Amino acid sequence: MVTLVLILILSYLVGSIPGSLWVGKWIYKVDLRKHGSGNPGATNAYRILGWKAGLLSTIVDMGKGFVAAGVIANLRWDALPVWLSGDQAWLLLALFAGIAAVLGHMFPVFARFKGGKGVNTAAGVLLAVTPLNMLFSFIAFCLVLWRTRYVSLSSMTAAATYPASLLLQKYVFNKPDVETSLIVFGVVLALVIIVAHRSNIKRLLAGSESRISWVKTPVSLENAGD
């Protein structure tokens, strides 16, 4: 039980690292919470500070999920609980660690529990667990973003594509090795991400959602530094 508790705590703490917020403050001397959408995420970093800040923030946020599910979940301090024994113990631990990291990103202890929407951190988790299905989600994200330039819509589409691809593998292409627990995780994760984007959904329906620009330079900020 010690192993499980420590994995969850460490994963949450890693997920709590506010990558975009720290990138803005340490490199650009800008608090992203005071500009743009106010969301301390990679998209707002891109819009306010430019593509370099957005890319670095994305790498940090994805890295948190990857480290939690791919590294921390493999640590051992004592024997695993009986219900976590078996061939799929690694998968369940990776999923638990991933959930903790996503929650850490959304409610970070290092940023007064006000974080981003968890998309990039979730992507890092999926990359560690099922890279092929993550590729499908990435393709869906790129296609929707290319056609619409809505990051929010692209993110929700990518989130929904993940469990959909698992269901197709298991029930259409007859791949029985696709774990049901992974499908449930994908569905729950997609729902969490969609709920986190509820304000974006309202703006999409109202036609007031901001589109991303392909050629982006940092906006002019007056008195942006702290």
Side-chain angles (χ1 to χ4, degrees), residues 137 154-165 167 186 189-191 193-194:
S137 292
S154 303
S155 299
M156 289 185 285
T157 302
T161 298
Y162 181 75
S165 67
L167 287 168
L189 185 62
L191 290 174
I193 289 175
I194 290 172

Side-chain angles (χ1 to χ4, degrees), residues 9 16 27 44 52 54 71 126 129 134 140 159 165 178 184 195 208 213 220:
I9 292 175
S16 288
I27 299 177
N44 200 36
K52 292 180 181 179
V71 178
L126 303 185
V129 176
M134 177 56 205
S165 67
V178 176
V184 173
V195 170
S208 58
S213 172
S220 175

Side-chain angles (χ1 to χ4, degrees), residues 156-180:
M156 289 185 285
T157 302
T161 298
Y162 181 75
S165 67
L166 291 171
L167 287 168
L168 285 173
Q169 280 182 281
K170 188 175 182 70
Y171 296 109
V172 177
F173 296 102
N174 298 315
K175 299 288 186 180
D177 56 328
V178 176
E179 289 295 319
T180 301

Side-chain angles (χ1 to χ4, degrees), residues 12-72:
Y12 170 78
L13 292 176
V14 168
S16 288
I17 296 173
S20 302
L21 186 61
W22 286 358
V23 165
K25 282 191 169 185
W26 292 353
I27 299 177
Y28 297 89
K29 309 303 180 185
V30 172
D31 188 341
L32 289 173
R33 295 170 298 187
K34 299 177 181 178
H35 301 280
S37 66
N39 183 271
T43 300
N44 200 36
Y46 171 82
R47 287 196 173 111
I48 300 303
L49 303 173
W51 70 269
K52 292 180 181 179
L55 177 61
L56 182 56
S57 299
T58 297
I59 292 173
V60 172
D61 289 345
M62 287 189 66
K64 297 188 301 186
F66 188 88
V67 168
V71 178
I72 296 176

